[in-house]
Amino acid sequence: MSTGQSFPGRWKPNHGSSVALYEQLRLHIIEQADQGNIPPGTRLPAVRSLAEVLGVAPHTVARAYKELEAAGVVATKGRNGTVVCARDERWGALSASAADYAAAAKAQGATFAEAVHLLAAAYDAE
């Protein structure tokens, strides 16, 4: 397993952006993982050390990691740190969430178009 010593490289969050700092970090990690720049199994830096490198509060990094873990992008392995998951593991978790949403929408009597509209609205609200 490799370490995330090269991560985040020269990337820094944009403090002047209207996008929250944790969201910028979350999106950056997803993008880097999708592009293969952070391969599965890569250990990301510890929360405090990454916060220091990026010039943000530790809570910012912790929130990004927490949301990435909830989405299945990373997994926390206790003392082994936070590790990037393989894309198929991530899609499995997302697929399960989609199935739950579809079942709930059907149970409420929503049409496919209505369910997609609600999902799009929720996606845009995030």
Side-chain angles (χ1 to χ4, degrees):
M1 190 180 322
S2 60
T3 63
Q5 289 182 16
S6 62
F7 181 82
R10 296 160 70 123
W11 181 85
K12 295 280 187 189
N14 179 353
H15 290 269
S17 173
S18 63
V19 177
L21 297 174
Y22 79 90
E23 181 68 4
Q24 291 179 46
L25 176 58
R26 186 186 74 80
L27 292 171
H28 180 67
I29 291 172
I30 290 170
E31 178 181 293
Q32 293 301 300
D34 285 349
Q35 292 175 356
N37 297 330
I38 310 175
T42 299
R43 193 174 87 203
L44 295 176
V47 168
R48 289 184 192 269
S49 64
L50 184 56
E52 187 175 317
V53 167
L54 296 178
V56 299
H59 175 75
T60 299
V61 176
R63 181 164 180 191
Y65 280 12
K66 180 180 177 185
E67 293 201 9
L68 288 164
E69 185 167 26
V73 176
V74 301
T76 300
K77 309 270 187 180
R79 292 186 148 191
N80 292 325
T82 301
V83 179
V84 175
C85 295
R87 187 175 178 93
D88 59 341
E89 291 176 51
R90 292 171 35 206
W91 284 112
L94 186 57
S95 179
S97 295
D100 290 344
Y101 174 70
K106 285 179 185 179
Q108 294 292 319
T111 66
F112 177 76
E114 290 168 334
V116 169
H117 177 75
L118 291 170
L119 179 60
Y123 195 89
D124 288 343
E126 288 295 316

